[in-house]
């Protein structure tokens, strides 16, 4: 932290809102607040955008994971509570299975909270279009979805009319039933008010799986709909023990969302898209918008003007330029580690923050990324789960995430694809879905010729989580015989290598889904990255948080950004 | 691209379009001036470019353009300048198509340019790709695609793959399915033999089945399925029945009555002249039936001078039924049976509409000719025929009638070289029926039901070609139930379903002797001293709207079709023995609809009472019919001879057309709006032999 000395002092020192962290919720909130004329200071101690939502080169990723896995010992200072790191990640397990180091590892953009995609009609895309930040980003469509089993057989997901027609694995009756269901859903969603309901109220409240049973769908089709389209996490067939039973209404809403996503953008051939250069682009785009709308800039720091005149493209190199700028304090966010919080004499009312440079800054509100922690002075009983995390979830539930790198695709004809392992598909006791997203060089997740695969699954503990991910990995990849040992390498591959890609590198880690924090009136924590494949729930939670802080302000209304020089307008979201 | 409502133009749009119209009018008059004066200067050509780019529908503009290109090419010095002239034209067409990619003129101009030897077909394919992305069903683009692929000699297999891709993309693409059928027709022709065709059709049935099951309400796949069905059933034309029927024994009589001493069932045929008709019925309309294609072997008749006449109301050279007369020389007058053998030779000659040649078939029968007794014939008197119920006695209880019908119903005609494809066709139809039933059990869909009905009908037809009683199930009741369902589900197409229902019902009724027997009655002339009886087929009150299966009824002399829904009597022309016909209480709405009756030379009694003749002011069939207005009637149009007593050609030419050649003795015409005293008087005049008109005896 020797750079701290070079940080110039920030003036003025009073703000309406200080946001620490540049994760997606923090960036959206900063953007929303600055759009309504609030004085916002956006700080991030890290040299990159995104905090828990960032996309990082391989080494940065591993060191960030490790840095967020153990709490720092608090220094004793009663008046100024230290801002600590919450241990969000545990059981980090990094395996390098290749004798040679991963080439071009700097060219990898690995998502911290993958797998994650955007549905073309979801609320996140709507927000992106509404705020105009699509001009800062480019997307590629996810080519295909598959349902996998323990042997690694990947069956396609017939999710549209033409996909049903093409699918050779479906029987004629299945084709007929599936399309009938899709039509019913479209009819139900598209019906005019006053028309007869196509699906009874009673059915809408009943579990979706029962509705599908009534429809006479085969086990295979039910599984495809529940886990690959409606994206259920928990085993819906086991209604008594299921932690999250999806009812017909939400099942149908999700099916409708999925279908309206197909064909929304002419260049996207499936329902899902992925941002080129990774999910980390999203928070960065919101930060940029916040800056344009006056966050920081309004504070009259002349030195920032320079940044906004720099033409900014979406090319990789340009972004690194920005990163460099960030490192020397300039960007749309101030790179500034915060040392401590300033509290009132009673120790319960927030006043401001103290930077590592020693400068004290004051604000009415503080928003913190969930990876920070304020040393607790309350009894554990008084601690509450962060109410803006997505609810419905068991407190001890966690999400197991994995990242794999290989040199060939899990499905030769698809570069960017999703794979779903529904409950019981990998082994009989499998309780939750394992979701897999493979990305290729054409979304700049990695150099071309390489494939990055993200996995995630809900679990109650690290053992279960690792078991889930390991099962999925061994279904998809060829592994060296001697498991995870790092030295007796690649030559001894298992006999049935067939055409499966050889796993070169993997990282597995368990991420918390629920935080317990002291509640302060003026300090808010943003939600943790959730277990879902898309951002819908996260966005809902973020909006709720915003409305709690600013009950009378609108959340990101339709606004036109000033035209900025954008060198590449081939964005798919025209 | 399809099914999108057009928005009403706003004020501004209207103003803009009227402004554009002013400009276009200016350009147009300039262009027409250049065109008239054959001016092809650069300035003139530029004007045409402007006009065509903003209005590609200006056909004269395109013609002018072609003339100017020809003019320029004549003075072109080298290949480079030719190239640049043609390039300029291609660029113009491209811009015109951007304006309206459905402009016939523009697409045609492009073809014309390419036909000048200017080949840049790769570019053309790229351009097509763009247009087909814009609208995958645009048939202009598909037409042009066929033109280009022919020009570039792109193999059909490659194009077939392209249609597969387009269909995978969206299988509601009629144009892609259509192009597929065109390509496959070529490929099946190229691949010799049945097995190639069978494999192709089998794969295609499977391919389209996925579309049908995925979205049964989408019609594009069903249309393709229908095409496949036609291909499956497609076969050479076949002689299916004849009169006299194979193996039958005919005893000619002058009064239609002979003591039944013969042990064999005997057909009695009444003839005034010493000739009797021979009718050949094919399974589809054919042409080329003549003395060189049909051999008639007869002991007393050379048969090589026979004249065959097509029995068809509309197609001039094509007919399903053909007629000739066999004459008996006066010296032939014994009761000795003469055998007659007819052979339809497998030589190019008799061909169907699609050009397929007829297979070789035989039919033979024997004829007994009575003593030449003209006196007896003249003595014959006729009393008025009454169609009242009490005049008829059901035949079902009479064993001798059953025998008679059995011999009449023995239609089987020997076919040499039985086509080998029929087993495969049958199997394919079986499979399709099973799949169709499976689909209908899950989805209630109109076009699926219609297809099932068609499949079952096809299945029955195939069975009728093969040997009798080979165990295959006949499905007429199911077909009829399907059509009844469809009439309820889809009232918009009621008339079509009624017609199909009628055809199926008639097929069922005529399918075997037992069922025909149920509709056969004996007509008894109560007052006749000889207790003369005639066999009458009574198909009354069956809701028939159309006639079919006439090839099985060639023997019928007395036919009751009253109380049906007949709008047309097409098909009756084949029943050359018909003497008594009841068409009362139907929906016939014009005399022209009766045109097929003109060919029934034996007809003596006709009842068309209580129809709708004259009820509709607009009679569309009147303009399809041959008439003095279209000069199709021939030289024997001697209307003027009868045109006195206030009868006008305009009012009654259609009645004249139908009745002038008939030798009716009895006619019932009451209950039609057209009837008045004037018409009645006219009818008496043109039919001097008429004895009864609407029950009134004429003197």
């Amino acid at each position: 932290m020797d750079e701290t000395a070079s940080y110039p002092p920030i003036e003025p020192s009073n703000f309406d809102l200080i946001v620490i962290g540049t994760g997606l919720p923090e960036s959206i909130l900063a953007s929303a607040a600055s759009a309504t004329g609030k004085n916002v200071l956006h700080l991030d101690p890290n040299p990159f955008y995104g905090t828990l939502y960032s996309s990082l080169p391989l080494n940065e990723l591993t060191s960030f994971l490790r840095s967020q896995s153990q709490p720092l010992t608090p220094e004793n200072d009663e008046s100024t509570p230290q801002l600590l790191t919450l241990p969000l990640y545990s059981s980090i397990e990094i395996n390098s299975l290749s004798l040679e180091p991963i080439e071009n590892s700097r060219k990898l953009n690995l998502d911290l909270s993958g797998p994650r995609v955007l549905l073309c009609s979801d609320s996140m895309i709507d927000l992106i279009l509404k705020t105009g930040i699509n001009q800062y980003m480019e997307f590629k469509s996810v080519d295909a979805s598959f349902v996998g089993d323990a042997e690694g057989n990947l069956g396609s997901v017939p999710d549209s009319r033409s996909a049903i027609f093409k699918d050779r694995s479906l029987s004629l009756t299945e084709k007929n039933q599936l399309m009938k269901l899709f039509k019913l859903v479209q009819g139900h969603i598209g019906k005019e008010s006053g028309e007869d309901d196509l699906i009874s109220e009673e059915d809408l409240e009943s579990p979706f799986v029962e509705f599908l049973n009534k429809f006479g769908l085969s086990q295979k089709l039910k599984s495809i709909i529940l886990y690959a389209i409606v994206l259920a996490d928990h085993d819906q067939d086991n209604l008594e023990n299921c932690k999250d039973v999806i009812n017909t209404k939400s099942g149908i809403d999700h099916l409708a969302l999925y279908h309206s996503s197909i064909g929304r953008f002419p260049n996207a051939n499936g329902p899902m898209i992925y941002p080129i250069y990774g999910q980390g682009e999203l928070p960065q785009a919101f930060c940029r918008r916040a800056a344009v709308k006056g966050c920081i800039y309004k504070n009259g720091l002349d030195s920032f003007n320079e940044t906004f005149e720099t033409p900014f493209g979406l090319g990789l190199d340009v972004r690194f330029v920005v990163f460099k700028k960030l490192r020397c304090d300039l960007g749309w966010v101030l790179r500034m580690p915060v040392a401590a919080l300033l509290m009132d004499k009673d120790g319960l009312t927030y006043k401001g923050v103290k930077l590592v440079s020693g400068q004290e800054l004051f604000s009415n509100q503080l928003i913190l990324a969930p990876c920070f922690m304020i040393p607790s002075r309350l009894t554990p009983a008084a601690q509450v789960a962060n109410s803006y995390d997505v609810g419905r979830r068991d407190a001890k539930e966690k999400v197991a995430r994995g990242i794999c790198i290989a040199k060939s695709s899990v499905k030769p004809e698809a570069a960017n694809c999703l794979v779903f392992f529904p409950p019981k598909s990998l082994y009989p006791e499998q309780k939750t879905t394992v979701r897999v997203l493979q990305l290729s060089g054409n979304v700049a997740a990695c150099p071309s010729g390489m494939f990055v695969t993200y996995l995630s699954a809900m679990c109650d503990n690290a053992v279960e989580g690792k078991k889930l991910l390991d099962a999925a990995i061994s279904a998809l990849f060829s592994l060296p015989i001697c498991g995870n040992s790092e030295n007796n390498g690649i030559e001894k591959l298992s006999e049935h290598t067939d055409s499966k890609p050889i796993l070169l590198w993997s990282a597995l880690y368990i991420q918390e889904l629920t935080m317990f924090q002291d509640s302060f009136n003026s300090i808010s924590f943003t939600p943790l990255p959730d277990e879902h494949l898309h951002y819908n729930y996260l966005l809902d939670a973020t909006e709720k948080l915003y409305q709690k802080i600013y009950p009378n302000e609108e959340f990101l209304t339709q606004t036109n950004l000033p035209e900025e020089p954008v060198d590449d307008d081939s964005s798919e979201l025209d | 691209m399809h099914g999108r409502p057009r928005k009403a133009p706003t004020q501004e749009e209207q103003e803009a379009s009227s402004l554009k119209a002013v400009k276009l009018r200016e350009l147009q008059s300039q262009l027409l001036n250049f065109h008239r004066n054959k001016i092809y200067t650069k300035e003139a050509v530029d004007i045409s470019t402007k006009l065509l780019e903003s209005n590609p529908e200006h056909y004269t503009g395109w013609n002018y353009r072609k003339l100017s290109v020809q003019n320029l090419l004549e003075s072109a010095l080298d290949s480079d300048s030719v190239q640049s002239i043609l390039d300029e034209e291609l660029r113009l067409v491209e811009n015109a198509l951007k304006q309206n990619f459905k402009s016939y003129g523009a697409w045609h101009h492009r073809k014309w340019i390419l036909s000048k030897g200017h080949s840049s077909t790769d570019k053309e394919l790229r351009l097509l790709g763009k247009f087909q992305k814009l609208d995958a069903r645009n048939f202009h683009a598909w037409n042009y695609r066929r033109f280009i692929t022919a020009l570039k000699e792109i193999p059909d297999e490659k194009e077939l793959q392209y249609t597969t891709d387009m269909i995978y993309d969206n299988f509601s693409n009629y144009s892609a399915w259509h192009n597929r059928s065109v390509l496959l027709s070529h490929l099946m022709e190229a691949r010799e033999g049945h097995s190639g065709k069978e494999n192709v059709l089998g794969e295609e049935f499977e391919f389209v089945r996925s579309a049908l099951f995925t979205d049964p309400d989408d019609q594009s796949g069903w249309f393709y399925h229908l095409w496949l069905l036609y291909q499956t059933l497609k076969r050479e034309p076949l002689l299916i029945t004849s009169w006299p029927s194979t193996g039958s024994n005919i005893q000619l009589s002058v009064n239609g009555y002979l003591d039944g001493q013969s042990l064999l069932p005997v057909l009695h045929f009444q003839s005034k002249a010493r000739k009797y008709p021979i009718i050949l019925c094919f399974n589809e309309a054919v042409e080329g039936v003549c003395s060189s294609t049909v051999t008639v072997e007869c002991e007393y008749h050379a048969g090589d001078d026979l004249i065959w006449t097509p029995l068809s109301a509309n197609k001039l050279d094509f007919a399903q039924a053909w007629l000739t007369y066999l004459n008996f020389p006066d010296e032939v007058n014994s009761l000795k049976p003469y055998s007659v053998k007819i052979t339809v030779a497998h030589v190019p000659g008799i061909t169907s509409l699609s050009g397929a040649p007829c297979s070789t078939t035989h039919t033979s029968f024997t004829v007994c000719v009575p003593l030449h007794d003209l006196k007896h014939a003249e003595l014959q008197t006729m009393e008025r025929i009454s169609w009242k119920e009490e005049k008829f006695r059901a035949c079902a209880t009479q064993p001798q009638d059953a025998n008679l019908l059995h011999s009449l119903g023995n239609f089987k005609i020997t076919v040499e070289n039985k086509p080998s494809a029929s087993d495969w066709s049958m199997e394919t139809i079986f499979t399709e029926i099973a799949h169709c039933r499976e689909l209908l059990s899950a989805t209630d869909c109109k076009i699926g039901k219609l297809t099932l009905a068609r499949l079952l009908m096809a299945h029955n037809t195939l069975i009728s070609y093969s040997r009798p009683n080979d165990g295959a199930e006949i499905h007429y009741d199911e077909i009829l139930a399907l059509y009844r369902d469809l009439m309820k589900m889809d009232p918009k197409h009621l008339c079509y379903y009624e017609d199909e229902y009628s055809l199926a019902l008639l097929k069922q009724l005529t399918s075997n002797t037992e069922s025909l027997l149920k509709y056969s009655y004996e007509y008894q002339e109560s007052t006749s001293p000889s207790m003369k009886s005639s066999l009458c087929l009574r198909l009354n009150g069956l809701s028939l709207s159309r006639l079919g299966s006439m090839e099985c009824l060639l023997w019928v002399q007395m036919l009751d079709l009253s109380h049906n829904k007949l709008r047309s009597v097409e098909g009756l022309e084949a029943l050359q023995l018909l003497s008594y016909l009841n068409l009362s209480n139907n929906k016939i709405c014009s005399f022209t609809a009766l045109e097929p009756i003109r060919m029934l030379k034996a007809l003596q009694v006709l009842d068309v009472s209580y129809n709708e003749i004259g009820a509709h002011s607009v009679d569309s069939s009147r303009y399809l019919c041959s008439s003095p207005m279209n000069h199709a009637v021939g030289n024997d149009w001697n209307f003027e001879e009868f045109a006195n007593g206030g009868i006008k050609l305009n009012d009654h030419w259609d009645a004249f057309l139908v009745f002038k050649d008939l030798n009716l003795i009895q006619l019932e015409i009451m209950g039609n709006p057209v009837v008045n005293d004037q018409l009645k008087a006219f009818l008496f005049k043109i039919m001097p032999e008429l004895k009864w008109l609407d029950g009134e005896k004429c003197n």
Side-chain angles (χ1 to χ4, degrees), chain B residues 511-530:
Chain B
S511 62
N512 60 54
T513 316
E514 288 71 33
S515 71
L516 261 181
L517 202 55
K518 283 183 214 147
Y519 297 89
S520 301
Y521 290 80
E522 250 178 48
Y523 177 79
Q524 292 175 321
E525 262 178 273
S526 51
T527 57
S528 166
S530 60

Side-chain angles (χ1 to χ4, degrees), chain B residues 287-396:
Chain B
E287 69 166 348
V289 176
C290 62
S291 57
S292 60
T293 52
V294 178
T295 329
V296 177
E297 293 166 56
C298 178
E299 290 169 46
Y300 53 83
H301 197 291
D304 50 4
D305 56 348
L306 294 177
I307 293 163
W308 290 92
T309 321
L311 293 171
S312 161
N314 39 33
K315 284 172 214 104
L316 281 176
D317 298 323
F318 285 88
Q320 237 187 302
W322 289 75
L323 166 74
T324 193
Y325 288 98
L326 210 53
N327 286 300
F328 295 95
D330 281 352
E331 60 270 23
V332 179
N333 52 8
S334 82
L335 280 171
K336 173 188 171 230
Y338 290 97
S339 75
V340 179
K341 189 179 180 200
I342 300 178
T343 308
V344 173
H346 182 76
V347 289
I350 300 180
T351 50
S352 67
L353 280 165
S354 63
C358 190
S359 334
T360 304
T361 39
H362 301 290
T363 176
S364 57
F365 49 89
T366 59
V367 187
C368 294
V369 186
L371 294 169
H372 190 201
D373 192 353
L374 198 65
K375 203 174 164 192
H376 188 99
E378 276 173 355
L379 279 176
Q380 184 200 13
T381 53
M382 265 213 37
E383 71 176 296
R384 185 169 172 262
I385 298 287
S386 161
W387 298 94
K388 286 203 181 96
E389 198 62 44
E390 64 263 22
K391 292 275 190 178
F392 295 95
R393 189 164 56 90
C395 290

Side-chain angles (χ1 to χ4, degrees), chain A residues 161 166 173 175 179-180 183, chain B residues 172 210 214-215 438 442:
Chain A
R161 191 168 175 269
K166 267 189 267 188
T173 311
K175 287 182 189 219
M179 192 60 211
K180 226 189 252 176
K183 276 189 174 176
Chain B
S172 305
S210 276
T214 306
D215 194 351
E438 186 193 346

Side-chain angles (χ1 to χ4, degrees), chain B residues 128-147:
Chain B
L128 270 174
K130 272 187 201 162
F131 281 119
Q132 287 182 321
K133 196 165 185 183
L134 220 57
D135 178 0
R137 272 161 64 172
N138 180 3
F139 70 87
H140 296 266
W142 282 95
N143 272 337
Y144 189 66
R145 185 171 190 94
R146 281 191 286 276
F147 171 77

Side-chain angles (χ1 to χ4, degrees), chain A residues 3 11 96 126 213 260 288 328 342 366 383 386 463 511:
Chain A
E3 320 161 35
E11 283 175 29
S96 203
D126 288 344
N213 282 335
S260 61
R288 184 171 176 193
C328 54
L342 302 174
L366 176 69
Q383 289 185 331
N386 187 336
V463 176
Q511 185 214 301

Side-chain angles (χ1 to χ4, degrees), chain B residues 462-513:
Chain B
L462 285 179
I463 284 180
S464 73
Y465 291 154
S466 64
R467 302 203 169 280
N469 307 324
D470 62 354
E473 199 187 339
I474 303 278
H475 311 277
Y476 288 109
D477 289 334
E478 190 179 354
I479 298 173
L480 296 175
L482 283 166
Y483 281 120
R484 274 195 295 268
D485 260 15
L486 283 165
M487 289 179 211
K488 272 184 233 136
M489 280 170 85
D490 184 17
K492 271 188 199 166
H493 300 106
L494 182 69
C495 287
Y496 175 77
Y497 298 133
E498 281 180 350
D499 282 1
E500 294 300 301
Y501 176 89
S502 305
L503 294 180
L505 182 62
L506 283 168
K507 206 138 203 170
Q508 180 181 32
L509 300 187
T510 58
S511 62
N512 60 54
T513 316

